[in-house]
Amino acid sequence: DFQMNMPATTDELREAALAADRLRTDPAFQRAITAMRKDAIEQLIAANTSDGETGLRLRAEIKAIDSLCEQLATAIYRGTARTTPTVA
């Protein structure tokens, strides 16, 4: 995983989580990501099966979009306060 300048302190993690959540819940961002992924999948389905280079490029594009979404989810998870369960 390539993670440049990852936040380290609790405050930095919290700020990164808030920024990631704002981006993830932004309607324009959601529409753009959904449209990009849908377009890449449709192109992959319609691609000439003998053109391996195009298939690889489109699969890489889909993976990059999915990876971006995973990184946002990870940032949100890492910066979200969790409580420690109590043992009775």
Side-chain angles (χ1 to χ4, degrees):
D1 257 336
F2 175 76
Q3 298 184 1
M4 192 165 128
N5 298 325
M6 286 299 297
T9 68
T10 302
D11 287 340
E12 289 173 334
L13 289 170
R14 191 176 312 113
E15 285 299 316
L18 291 171
D21 192 53
R22 279 191 302 272
L23 185 59
R24 184 186 59 86
T25 59
D26 181 85
F29 179 78
Q30 290 174 349
R31 283 190 301 274
I33 289 294
T34 300
M36 288 170 56
R37 191 172 193 284
K38 180 178 181 261
D39 185 51
I41 290 171
E42 288 174 352
Q43 286 181 50
L44 182 60
I45 291 167
N48 182 344
T49 56
S50 65
D51 184 3
E53 187 175 318
T54 298
L56 286 173
R57 181 186 58 78
L58 292 167
R59 282 191 291 279
E61 187 176 324
I62 294 164
K63 176 62 179 159
I65 294 165
D66 290 346
S67 183
L68 171 63
C69 294
E70 290 168 8
Q71 288 296 319
L72 289 174
T74 298
I76 293 165
Y77 176 78
R78 290 183 71 210
T80 302
R82 288 174 279 296
T83 58
T84 305
T86 57
V87 178

